[in-house]
Structures are given as structure tokens and as C-alpha cells.
RNA sequence: GCCUCGGUAGCUCAGUGGUAGAGCAGGGGACUCAUAAGCCCUUGGCCGCAAGUUCAAAUCUUGCCCGAGGCACCA
């Protein structure tokens, strides 16, 4: 039986995380991890904050804090938000951890030893006023092609021409506005990944099962020719480079961030060294299936750069087996905007409604095949129709009927009816499809099957109409309700990967702890007789309240942001 | 500019060679246990445009139009 290693792209430390960030990596990884755990699989789900780089330094400066202190605080904030969304990481680490420092240096050493590191001198824009080298995009000025005055040093977003910072007319720092800029020479280490082109191509091409999005981006990079890549930066905050002449340099954040997948696993292991062995997950494990989750902007780094680091080490580190890439979630057809406060952020969301509302809606509309759109109208429809009317109401009507006519206890079972055969067929079909979709990481399809399962309960109830039969044949009505109580258990179990809080709450009401629940069987025939006749059934209360038209109006206005679309 | 992906019912999307599908919204009906919920029935589409291949095209090819994204030192 394989063990499953799951990682989601590391959220960057300085940005507020919006719903698109959540649904693009951490949430689907959590749904997958929960599904596998319910099936009894051995799962390790690892995530961490990505803490290095220029934006973190600038954000700390802005907040008037030391970078280390800023990151410590932000990490705690993000960790709290993740917990609020029930993201059940085995460990949520930090790329600034000692473990990652050690591993990053180790990889650099191995690459050096294998002749894959080269010192090169480059020209970089330096801001005298700020005493800092500026990454290309932090230099702005007038585009030499179209005259646009807000062009960035890497690309003009007006005419889309690619630029070098030196091309800009009247360049200035986008951080301070200072025009006191000059090109300075600086030495950097380059990873000679061009030498690994053939190995990378062979490796990528063997993974024919990867999503089109992932393969096409990876192969595009190879087709254009892999370029050697600088893996150091002129910054103070980061992992120092132990090398003469590199005293004021650190490793590039994109070099050390993916290594933190391993680093975080070691953090996890170091916390309880007796029972945990990080190397068994990462060093030449024969039985580990490694699945990564990320949004599409991360794909080149996970399919080219990081594998180049791993391969180049010459050591048997685990390479990814499956890359699940996501497109963007848009907000009313435009982008979520961190700076413009446009769209819904994780903290906002939890303030409005419990996490399960968001988890379900986001997974139901996940940007899997193409970019997807979040609107409050769609949100309200999905929550109201699926969660409140279909699932919530099914639970409610069964619980109310049992309370009213059977003293809130599971009634006695009778003979199976023809309606029950149809029900079983539906459970087999939709349950099987749900399992298959989750196995193959097709989340939208999975939600459709979950919803179809829930609906089959309402169909069964309507066809058997226990509120009617109770008058003439109490036993027949009792049987239907006993079966329905088992259905609630099946539905709640199936919902656990998506809405773990509500699912567990329903199981508690049925006096079945989440710990004793397991995933769906292939055959449900014995499943509908599991609840013991006479055992109590609590009312879990209203599972999901509806999103009202006035909520939609208020929230649309509140989150429209400062930017015009 | 180059490349990738997409354009299917009012909306969100599934469907990769063989008589157009789902959910939601809209319309009708029977019911009443329930968060006016659920259930049954139903209206609705030159499958972006044009040409080609084929006995047969939403599906394959080419061109065009429209949208989104990638193009490596921004994380």
C-alpha cells in the first residue's frame, strides 16, 4: 500500500491570501488528504510559509519591524487562518527554519560538487537612496516602445513588450520613487540547468497523465531552451551563501522555497523524532506517491527548476509523481486584487460565514479546466441550493420526523422495499463516481457526485412519504426513517473531505464520532442497517443558513474594491 | 510578437467521430415531514465564424474573430 506525500504551494508571507489562493492549492490538497485519510491511507500533508525575498523585506520595513519579527507574526496570522478553514496539515512550517537553512546549503553544496554551479557577474539596477538592488519589476519608468509612463523593468503592461530595466526612460524605484538609480555589477551563482535539459525532458515526457495545463507549460520551457538561472540575490534576509565574496548575499527565494517541502517535513520529524522519520518520505522511498498542488504561476518552478535542483544533487531525493495545477479564480471576471482590496480574503470570509460554506462553494467551482469566476450570486445559489436545501434540509426533515413520531430514537427496521433498491443503485453509482473523481483529483466532478448522492435521499423520502404512511402503517414509516438515518450517516461521511466541520457535527448527532467513520463502501446494502434500532438521534440544528439577497447586495458592495474594472 | 488553453441552453459548465447534456434560473403539476424546502414534468441551443477531411464533425484539419494565461530572475 503506497504512502501519500502531499504538498501545497507555499503561501508567501507578506500578502493577504484571497479565495483564489486558497482554492488554487491549499484547499484542494486538504480535500485530497482528508479523502485519503478516511480511506485509511498513510498520508503526510505538508505546507509552510514562504518567507524570503524582496517583498518580505519591504513589507517589514513598511510595518516598522525587523524582518524576522515581521515573518514570525505573519506566520502566526496565516497559520490561524488555515486552522480557521480546517486545513489539516500534518505540519505548517517556515522556509526560514534552521532545517531549511541546512537543507538549502546542502543542495547548493551538492550542485557545486557536481559542477552545476557557476559564478557569473551581472548588471543589476541599484538604488542609492535605498541602498538596495532592485528586482527588475521594482524599477518603473517610461516605455521606449509606446511611451507608457508606468512601464515596469521587466515588461510594459501597456504594449506587452518585454523590457530590461536599462531600457526604461527616466527610471525610478517603485518602492521609494527615487530616481537615483545606477547599474552596478554584482556577482551571482547560477544553476546550470541547461546541462540537465535532456533529463528534464525525459522525466516530464514520461508523465503523460499530468494535466494539459501542467505539461504544456513545462514543455514550453523546454522547447524554448532551459536557461541557466541565478540562485542568489543581494539581500540581507534569507539563507546566507557561505562563499568568499558572497557575504551580503542570500539564496534566491525560489531556490530555497521548494526545498522547504523537505525542510518542513524535517521540522515535523524533529518535533517528535521517536515516531517520525522525514527521510523515509524523501530519500529514495519506494512506496511514496508524491502529489503537489499549485496554481499555474508556480508550475515552471515545480516542473523544471526544483526538479533540476533535485536531479542535480545526484542524490535519490523523491521527485513529484503528480502535479495538480489550477487556473485562476477571478472576481466578477476581473482579478482578485491584494493592493486594491478587491475580492474576498480569507480573513473576510471567516468573518462572514463558517469555513464549510466557503470550502464547499470553492471546490464546487474550482478553476480546474479553465479560469473560474467567483460572484456572490453564484456563491448564494450554490450554498442555498446544495448545502441548505439539498443536504441540510434532508437531515432536518428526517430528524424532525423521527423526533415527532419515534421519540427521537432509531425506529425498527422492516422489509426492504422497491424504493430502497433504486436508492441503493443511486448510491452505488454516485458513491462510486465520487470515489473515482477524488482518486483522480477531479474536484468539480466529485462535488457533482456528492450533490447527486444527497439528492437521492430526498427522492427516496418523497417516494416513500413516511409522513403519510405513519397514519396507516407505522412500521413501514419507521423502516423508511431508520434507513434515512443511515443515509444521513453515509451522506455526512461522503461530505467529510469537503465540509469536515459540518460532517463531523452530523455524525456526532447520530452518536458516531468522526474517528469511527470510514470512507464509502462499494456496496451499500448492509450500510443502511447499521444504526441500532432504539438508539437516540440528536437534532444537529440547522446545518446551513441561507445567503439572503440582502447579503449578496451588501457583500458585493463591500468587496468591490477601490479599483475600477 | 511567439506559444498554450478556452469560446456548447439566460448563467456556470460537462461532453473528443455516430440522432446535442447536467446543475441553477424560467414555466407547469401533485404533495406537505422540512430551512416556502423537497419531488415529478417541462420551455430553451445554426455547439464563436468560414472552409476542408469523412458515409457521418461540438468532436479531426486549416484560416479568421473573441477571451484568458505563459514567455524565466515578481513571488
Amino acid at each position: 500500500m503506497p504512502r501519500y506525500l502531499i504538498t501545497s504551494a507555499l503561501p508567501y508571507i507578506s500578502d493577504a491570501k484571497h479565495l483564489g489562493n486558497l482554492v488554487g492549492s491549499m484547499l484542494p490538497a486538504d480535500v485530497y488528504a482528508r479523502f485519503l485519510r478516511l480511506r485509511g491511507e498513510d498520508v503526510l500533508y505538508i505546507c509552510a510559509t514562504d518567507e524570503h525575498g524582496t517583498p518580505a523585506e519591504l513589507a517589514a520595513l513598511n510595518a516598522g519591524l525587523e524582518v524576522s519579527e515581521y515573518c514570525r507574526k505573519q506566520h502566526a496570522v496565516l497559520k490561524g487562518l488555515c486552522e480557521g478553514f480546517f486545513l489539516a496539515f500534518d505540519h505548517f512550517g517556515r522556509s526560514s527554519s534552521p532545517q531549511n537553512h541546512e537543507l538549502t546549503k546542502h543542495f547548493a553544496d551538492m550542485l557545486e560538487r557536481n559542477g552545476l554551479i557557476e559564478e557569473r557577474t551581472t548588471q543589476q539596477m541599484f538604488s542609492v537612496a535605498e541602498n538596495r538592488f532592485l528586482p527588475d519589476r521594482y524599477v518603473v519608468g517610461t516605455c521606449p516602445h509606446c511611451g507608457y509612463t508606468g512601464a515596469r523593468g521587466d515588461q510594459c503592461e501597456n504594449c506587452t513588450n518585454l523590457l530590461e530595466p536599462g531600457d526604461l526612460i527616466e527610471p525610478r524605484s517603485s518602492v521609494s520613487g527615487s530616481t537615483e538609480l545606477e547599474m552596478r555589477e554584482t556577482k551571482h551563482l547560477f544553476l546550470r540547468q541547461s546541462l540537465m535539459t535532456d533529463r528534464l525532458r525525459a522525466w516530464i515526457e514520461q508523465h503523460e497523465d499530468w494535466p494539459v495545463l501542467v505539461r504544456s507549460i513545462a514543455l514550453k520551457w523546454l522547447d524554448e531552451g532551459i536557461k541557466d538561472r541565478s540562485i542568489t540575490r543581494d539581500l540581507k534576509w534569507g539563507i546566507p551563501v557561505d562563499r568568499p565574496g558572497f557575504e551580503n548575499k542570500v539564496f534566491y527565494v525560489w531556490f530555497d522555497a521548494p526545498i522547504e517541502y523537505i525542510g518542513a517535513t524535517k521540522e515535523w520529524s524533529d518535533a517528535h523524532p521517536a515516531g517520525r522519520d522525514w527521510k523515509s518520505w524523501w530519500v529514495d522511498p519506494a512506496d511514496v506517491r508524491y502529489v503537489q498542488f499549485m496554481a499555474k504561476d508556480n508550475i515552471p518552478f515545480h516542473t523544471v527548476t526544483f526538479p533540476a535542483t533535485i536531479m542535480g544533487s545526484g542524490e535519490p531525493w523523491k521527485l513529484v509523481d503528480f502535479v495538480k495545477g489550477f487556473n485562476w479564480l477571478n472576481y466578477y471576471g476581473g482579478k482578485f486584487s491584494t493592493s486594491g482590496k478587491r475580492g474576498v480574503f480569507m480573513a473576510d470570509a471567516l468573518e462572514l460565514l463558517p469555513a464549510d460554506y466557503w470550502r464547499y462553494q470553492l471546490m464546487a467551482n474550482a478553476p480546474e479546466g479553465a479560469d473560474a469566476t467567483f460572484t456572490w450570486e453564484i456563491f448564494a445559489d450554490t450554498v442555498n441550493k446544495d448545502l441548505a436545501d439539498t443536504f441540510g434540509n434532508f437531515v432536518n426533515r428526517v430528524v424532525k420526523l423521527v423526533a415527532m413520531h419515534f421519540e427521537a430514537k432509531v425506529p425498527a427496521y422492516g422489509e426492504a422495499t422497491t424504493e430502497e433498491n433504486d436508492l441503493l443503485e443511486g448510491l452505488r453509482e454516485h458513491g462510486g463516481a465520487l470515489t473515482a473523481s477524488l482518486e483522480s483529483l477531479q474536484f468539480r466532478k466529485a462535488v457533482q457526485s456528492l450533490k447527486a448522492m444527497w439528492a437521492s435521499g430526498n427522492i427516496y423520502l418523497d417516494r416513500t412519504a413516511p409522513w403519510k404512511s405513519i397514519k396507516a402503517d407505522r412500521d413501514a414509516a419507521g423502516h423508511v426513517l431508520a434507513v434515512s438515518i443511515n443515509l444521513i450517516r453515509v451522506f455526512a461521511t461522503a461530505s467529510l473531505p469537503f465540509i469536515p466541520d459540518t460532517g463531523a457535527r452530523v455524525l456526532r448527532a447520530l452518536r458516531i464520532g468522526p474517528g469511527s467513520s470510514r470512507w464509502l463502501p462499494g456496496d451499500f446494502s448492509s450500510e443502511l442497517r447499521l444504526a441500532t434500532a432504539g438508539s437516540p438521534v440528536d437534532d444537529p440544528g440547522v446545518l446551513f443558513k441561507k445567503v439572503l439577497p440582502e447579503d449578496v447586495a451588501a457583500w458585493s458592495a463591500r468587496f468591490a474594491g477601490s479599483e475600477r474594472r
Side-chain angles (χ1 to χ4, degrees):
Chain A
M1 205 164 81
R3 292 180 293 154
Y4 291 86
L5 176 61
I6 298 171
T7 60
S8 52
L10 309 186
Y12 194 71
I13 194 74
S14 71
D15 302 325
K17 296 294 163 266
H18 52 63
L19 296 181
N21 300 132
L22 181 62
V23 76
S25 59
M26 295 183 287
L27 178 55
D30 183 69
V31 170
Y32 186 58
R34 284 176 181 277
F35 162 67
L36 292 173
R37 289 187 191 122
L38 284 164
R39 295 182 101 186
E41 304 285 0
D42 195 354
V43 175
L44 187 65
Y45 176 22
I46 293 291
C47 193
T49 40
D50 175 14
E51 306 192 356
H52 297 138
T54 306
E57 285 197 353
L58 295 176
L61 207 61
N62 222 22
L65 295 170
E66 287 296 316
V67 194
S68 57
E69 179 62 9
Y70 171 82
C71 288
R72 195 188 60 73
K73 285 191 166 176
Q74 277 294 110
H75 174 84
V77 168
L78 264 169
K79 188 174 185 194
L81 286 172
C82 290
E83 283 165 3
F85 277 95
F86 306 116
L87 301 174
F89 310 123
D90 287 289
H91 184 70
F92 188 60
R94 303 182 59 186
S95 69
S96 59
S97 69
Q99 286 87 348
N100 196 40
H101 276 242
E102 188 188 323
L103 278 159
T104 298
K105 289 177 182 177
H106 170 78
F107 274 101
D109 287 346
M110 294 307 293
L111 292 167
E112 170 88 50
R113 188 177 303 179
N114 294 327
L116 294 165
I117 298 285
E118 190 172 84
E119 258 187 56
R120 294 184 192 172
T121 300
T122 62
Q123 300 276 324
Q124 190 84 26
M125 200 64 96
F126 184 84
S127 169
V128 177
E130 291 156 88
N131 190 31
R132 119 186 350 269
F133 281 96
L134 294 174
D136 290 357
R137 70 160 40 201
Y138 285 88
V139 182
V140 295
T142 301
C143 174
H145 302 284
C146 70
Y148 178 64
T149 54
R152 288 193 321 237
D154 55 346
Q155 183 172 25
C156 173
E157 56 185 37
N158 186 52
C159 65
T160 73
N161 273 301
L162 297 180
L163 303 173
E164 296 288 329
D167 299 340
L168 292 172
I169 301 162
E170 294 178 351
R172 62 185 189 277
S173 161
S174 75
V175 182
S176 65
S178 168
T179 55
E180 208 181 334
L181 305 181
E182 57 190 47
M183 278 298 201
R184 284 195 184 175
E185 284 199 342
T186 176
K187 254 189 317 190
H188 282 298
L189 298 184
F190 276 69
L191 174 60
R192 300 175 71 190
Q193 36 185 24
S194 57
L195 299 176
M196 281 178 278
T197 301
D198 292 342
R199 288 178 68 188
L200 285 167
R201 182 181 290 281
W203 175 70
I204 289 164
E205 283 180 344
Q206 98 192 29
H207 292 289
E208 289 174 13
D209 59 325
W210 286 4
V212 177
L213 177 74
V214 172
R215 269 174 70 88
S216 63
I217 290 178
L219 291 172
K220 176 73 192 322
W221 273 49
L222 288 161
D223 290 343
E224 291 185 347
I226 302 290
K227 298 168 193 163
D228 294 339
R229 194 178 181 96
S230 157
I231 58 163
T232 52
R233 288 292 182 278
D234 292 288
L235 290 172
K236 294 183 188 67
W237 171 243
I239 298 175
V241 183
D242 298 330
R243 190 186 183 97
F246 282 74
E247 289 77 13
N248 294 316
K249 298 174 197 288
V250 298
F251 285 105
Y252 176 39
V253 55
W254 257 117
F255 183 68
D256 76 65
I259 294 172
E260 168 63 4
Y261 291 140
I262 307 173
T265 310
K266 187 162 189 301
E267 292 170 40
W268 166 81
S269 187
D270 287 351
H272 296 276
R276 299 175 179 174
D277 179 9
W278 65 281
K279 284 188 175 172
S280 82
W281 290 91
W282 281 102
V283 183
D284 201 20
D287 61 337
V288 169
R289 178 168 170 79
Y290 178 20
V291 181
Q292 292 177 339
F293 289 77
M294 71 200 66
K296 57 185 166 186
D297 56 334
N298 273 300
I299 289 171
F301 299 99
H302 288 78
T303 56
V304 177
T305 310
F306 185 44
T309 301
I310 292 214
M311 289 176 183
S313 74
E315 297 175 324
W317 297 100
K318 179 68 185 167
L319 281 164
V320 67
D321 292 304
F322 190 84
V323 177
K324 177 68 179 178
F326 285 85
N327 289 280
W328 304 124
L329 182 69
N330 292 317
Y331 186 77
Y332 286 90
K335 289 180 180 173
F336 278 84
S337 164
T338 306
S339 56
K341 303 259 186 286
R342 180 163 185 277
V344 193
F345 292 79
M346 284 172 73
D348 302 323
L350 289 179
E351 189 189 305
L352 300 181
L353 290 169
D356 280 355
Y357 289 64
W358 303 101
R359 289 179 59 109
Y360 181 85
Q361 200 275 343
L362 289 170
M363 294 313 293
N365 297 289
E368 279 185 296
D371 291 353
T373 296
F374 178 93
T375 71
W376 290 104
E377 290 78 8
I378 294 171
F379 178 76
D381 280 350
T382 308
V383 166
N384 293 346
K385 202 66 198 173
D386 298 1
L387 293 179
D389 295 347
T390 305
F391 181 43
N393 188 45
F394 175 74
V395 172
N396 190 43
R397 59 201 299 214
V398 171
V399 168
K400 288 281 160 57
L401 281 166
V402 170
M404 203 181 316
H405 299 293
F406 294 91
E407 302 168 326
K409 289 180 179 139
V410 179
Y413 296 96
E415 293 295 311
T417 60
T418 54
E419 289 86 358
E420 197 174 317
N421 290 332
D422 293 346
L423 174 66
L424 283 170
E425 198 174 314
L427 290 177
R428 247 194 312 278
E429 181 190 337
H430 301 306
L434 172 60
T435 301
S437 295
L438 285 172
E439 279 173 346
S440 57
L441 299 134
Q442 298 183 79
F443 295 103
R444 292 178 82 121
K445 274 190 181 173
V447 173
Q448 284 180 13
S449 297
L450 177 61
K451 186 180 160 189
M453 276 187 97
W454 289 342
S456 73
N458 282 313
I459 294 170
Y460 173 71
L461 215 52
D462 274 73
R463 289 182 62 188
T464 51
W467 53 87
K468 192 178 287 180
S469 58
I470 189 78
K471 293 165 188 162
D473 186 350
R474 185 181 159 81
D475 290 348
H479 172 76
V480 167
L481 291 173
V483 166
S484 296
I485 288 165
N486 284 285
L487 272 178
I488 293 177
R489 194 196 63 253
V490 169
F491 294 166
T493 301
S495 80
L496 283 171
F498 299 93
I499 47 173
D501 190 44
T502 308
R505 174 173 152 200
V506 171
L507 292 174
R508 273 198 303 277
L510 301 179
R511 309 290 177 101
I512 301 168
S516 70
S517 50
R518 64 218 185 289
W519 189 243
L520 308 175
D523 176 24
F524 289 83
S525 42
S526 63
E527 204 69 12
L528 302 181
R529 299 288 186 281
L530 287 183
T532 311
S535 68
V537 177
D538 294 338
D539 187 345
V542 170
L543 298 186
F544 298 97
K545 62 180 185 182
K546 295 202 187 197
V547 178
L548 305 171
E550 49 264 42
D551 296 326
V552 171
W555 297 339
S556 305
R558 175 174 163 190
F559 296 102
S562 54
E563 291 176 354
R564 294 164 60 196
R565 3 180 218 121

